[in-house]
């Protein structure tokens, strides 16, 4: 049996035999910082700019712009769903209560799979970047880079294990320095004399794509620049006034990284030749830094990419562990995953489980080059999982608010048209990806989703209440929120004696 909020009685935050996550631990500024860090601006630019340029040439700014429009539809969907169901599982809970529990479980499973693969893949560049700064002659040593990357991962694992407050303090330091460096180089690019190509507003138009296939390629690449902002929803049970804050932070975060992405992509187009971009590859930001500030610019932007990589490891750990916590709490996976540490208020079993799985992948990466190739295909394949659960969340928002969509133009556009546009874009990206990926990437991507069917069927047979959900209806949820005191009410916030982290 479930309560109107959709949580199992006695298993929600702070209730029943198990402790819940720490409420009201994060403020608005903290949550915005997490949203920006989740999208990892410097890491995304370094890893993807050359790929984007290779696919669409000078149309990179247009690809980022036209991808941001449907992505904002998904952000709006998350914001609206978060108002009526505060749940660390986010799409896992929302999709399950609006569309079908099977789809909800697979949404959560898709995030867990994608995030676990990404954490390992993201840690390896962190090792290489660290060595390139401290011991450049060892930067090409795969085994040593793997060990250093694993060290960064374990450090972030301990930070996340230490609780939401410690996590956000580390994030403020990492993302604060990263963003400051990026802003300095934005100003440097504006003041730079001389350029390889004259700026042209047509870079924001459709003319440089070379047809529908070119637009598809650019949009598919650009879509995954933005992934990670939804960490704010996974932190909703630990956020003050989360019904408002989580959605607002996601909107501000996506807006911030959009400006950084577009600004740096324009700077690359203007200041670097196509040969420099192609030769730079994943080090294209270092090449840009040397162009703007010869001598030290390259190292400064390498530092920014390193900080961004470590910061996004932390936010990805938050996403996967909070999702596993919600699944364990609902008994759709082993219930031990829903246990919370009495001192740190973190899902410690989920954290350690993810850590163990990642370390196995690290060991495999260090042992065999072929495994690294498989890991590379897996990174490409996670786009399928991301598109899958984003698309379902957009549809879930429309279903949950269906009785309110015709009450005003605002509700119709923001609650219906825009989220559906976002979902349609994600489904299109999913389908287009099928023809773009290698056979091994497809096996990993689709196989990763299919693997979730096994625990799904096991826990359906065990009778998890998640598979008998209280439907998520916005009218009923908003009426209940207005009638009864919620954990986010002013009275509840005054009762919480924990110190604020907001500035």
């Amino acid at each position: 049996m479930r309560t109107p909020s959709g949580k199992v009685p006695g298993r929600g935050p702070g209730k029943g035999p198990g402790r819940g996550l720490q409420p009201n631990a994060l403020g608005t500024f903290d949550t915005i910082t997490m949203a920006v860090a989740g999208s990892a601006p410097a890491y995304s630019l370094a890893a993807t700019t050359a790929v984007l340029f290779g696919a669409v040439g000078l149309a990179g700014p247009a690809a980022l712009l036209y991808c941001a429009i449907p992505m904002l539809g998904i952000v709006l969907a998350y914001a609206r769903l978060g108002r009526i169901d505060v749940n660390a599982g986010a799409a896992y809970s929302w999709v399950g209560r609006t569309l079908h529990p099977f789809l909800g479980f697979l949404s959560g499973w898709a995030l867990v799979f994608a995030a676990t693969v990404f954490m390992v893949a993201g840690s390896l560049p962190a090792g290489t970047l660290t060595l390139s700064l401290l011991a450049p002659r060892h930067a090409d040593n795969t085994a040593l880079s793997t060990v250093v990357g694993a060290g960064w991962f374990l450090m972030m694992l301990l930070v996340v294990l230490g609780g939401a407050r410690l996590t956000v303090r580390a994030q403020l330091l990492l993302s604060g320095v990263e963003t400051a460096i990026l802003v300095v180089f934005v100003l440097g690019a504006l003041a730079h004399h001389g350029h390889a190509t004259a700026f042209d507003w047509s870079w924001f138009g459709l003319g440089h794509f070379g047809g529908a296939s070119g637009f598809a390629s650019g949009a598919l690449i650009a879509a995954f620049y933005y992934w990670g902002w939804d960490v704010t929803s996974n932190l909703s049970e630990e956020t003050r006034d989360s019904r408002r804050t989580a959605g607002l932070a996601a909107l501000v975060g996506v807006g911030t990284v959009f400006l950084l992405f577009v600004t740096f992509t324009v700077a690359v187009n203007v200041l670097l030749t196509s040969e420099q971009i192609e030769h730079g590859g994943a080090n294209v930001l270092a090449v840009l830094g040397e162009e703007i500030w010869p001598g030290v610019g390259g190292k400064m932007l390498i530092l920014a990419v390193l900080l961004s990589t470590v910061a996004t490891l932390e936010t990805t750990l938050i996403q996967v562990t909070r999702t596993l916590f919600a699944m364990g709490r609902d008994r759709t996976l082993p219930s031990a995953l829903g246990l919370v540490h009495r001192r740190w208020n973190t899902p410690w079993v989920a954290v350690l489980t993810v850590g163990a799985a990642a370390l196995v992948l690290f060991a495999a990466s260090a042992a065999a080059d072929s495994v690294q190739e498989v890991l590379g295909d897996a990174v490409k394949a996670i786009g399928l999982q991301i598109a899958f659960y984003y698309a379902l969340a957009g549809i879930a928002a429309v279903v949950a608010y269906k009785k309110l969509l015709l009450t005003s133009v605002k509700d119709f556009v923001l609650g219906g048209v825009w989220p559906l546009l976002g979902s349609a874009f994600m489904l299109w990206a999913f389908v287009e990806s099928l023809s773009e990926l290698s056979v091994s990437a497809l096996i990993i991507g689709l196989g990763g989703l299919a693997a979730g069917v096994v625990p799904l069927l096991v826990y359906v047979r065990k009778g998890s209440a998640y598979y008998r959900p209280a439907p998520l209806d916005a009218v009923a949820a908003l009426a209940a929120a207005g009638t009864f005191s919620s954990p986010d009410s002013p009275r509840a916030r005054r009762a919480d004696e924990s110190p604020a982290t907001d500035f």
Side-chain angles (χ1 to χ4, degrees), residues 1-38:
M1 177 179 177
R2 286 176 171 263
T3 63
S5 66
K7 296 184 176 64
V8 180
R11 297 295 297 174
K15 297 178 181 179
R19 291 168 57 86
L21 301 171
Q22 185 174 6
N24 303 326
L26 308 180
T28 303
F29 184 76
D30 303 331
T31 314
I32 291 172
T33 300
M34 298 299 283
V36 173

Side-chain angles (χ1 to χ4, degrees), residues 43-248:
Y43 172 84
S44 298
L45 285 163
T48 321
T49 296
V51 178
L52 183 63
F53 185 86
V56 298
L58 297 173
L64 290 165
L65 171 63
Y66 297 129
C67 176
I69 295 171
M71 184 64 72
L72 282 173
I74 304 300
V75 177
L76 288 170
Y78 268 70
R80 291 170 72 84
L81 288 165
R83 291 177 198 166
I84 56 177
D85 183 20
V86 176
N87 192 298
Y92 155 78
S93 172
W94 303 330
V95 173
R97 296 181 61 193
T98 54
L99 303 183
H100 196 281
F102 285 11
L103 292 176
F105 178 86
L106 291 177
S107 292
W109 182 267
L111 188 151
V112 169
F113 182 92
T116 302
V117 171
F118 177 81
M119 282 186 296
V120 178
S123 297
L124 299 179
T128 303
L129 290 166
T130 302
L131 292 174
S132 68
L133 286 174
L134 303 180
R137 61 194 181 93
H138 296 297
D140 294 329
N141 188 319
T142 301
L144 186 57
S145 295
T146 301
V147 170
V148 175
W152 278 116
F153 172 78
L154 289 174
M155 186 182 300
M156 290 301 99
L157 191 79
L158 292 174
V159 169
V160 171
L161 189 62
R165 295 188 190 284
L166 177 61
T167 298
V168 79
R169 286 168 185 158
Q171 198 59 255
L172 288 170
L173 175 63
L174 293 169
S175 296
V177 176
E178 173 203 354
T179 305
I181 293 173
L182 293 179
V183 170
V184 166
F185 277 88
V186 166
L187 298 176
L190 292 173
H192 186 75
H193 296 291
H195 52 262
T197 306
F199 172 78
D200 195 325
W201 284 106
S202 68
W203 296 347
F204 291 92
L206 297 172
H208 288 280
F209 285 110
S213 60
F215 180 82
S217 298
L220 286 171
I221 296 167
F224 306 112
Y225 269 76
Y226 297 100
W227 179 49
W229 55 263
D230 47 314
V231 66
T232 61
S233 295
N234 297 109
L235 285 167
S236 61
E237 294 184 25
E238 299 158 88
T239 304
R240 292 200 305 275
D241 193 18
S242 60
R243 296 182 189 278
R244 179 193 67 87
T245 302
L248 173 64

Side-chain angles (χ1 to χ4, degrees), residues 285-368:
L285 278 194
V287 176
L288 179 66
E290 284 296 321
E291 183 70 27
I292 295 173
W293 193 349
V296 297
K299 288 190 177 296
M300 286 185 67
L301 280 181
I302 289 175
L303 176 61
V305 175
L306 173 60
L307 293 173
S308 181
T309 305
V310 175
T312 199
L313 287 177
E314 185 187 80
T315 59
T316 307
L317 270 167
I318 288 286
Q319 285 195 280
V320 68
T321 56
R322 268 46 177 186
T323 302
L324 286 173
F325 162 76
M327 297 170 113
R329 181 175 63 188
D330 287 342
R331 299 180 185 274
T332 57
L333 284 179
S335 59
L337 295 170
L339 294 177
V340 174
H341 195 279
R342 291 188 173 276
R343 179 179 177 184
W344 300 321
N345 290 102
T346 51
W348 65 276
V349 176
V351 173
L352 295 180
T353 299
V354 171
L359 288 177
V360 170
L361 291 177
F362 277 122
S365 298

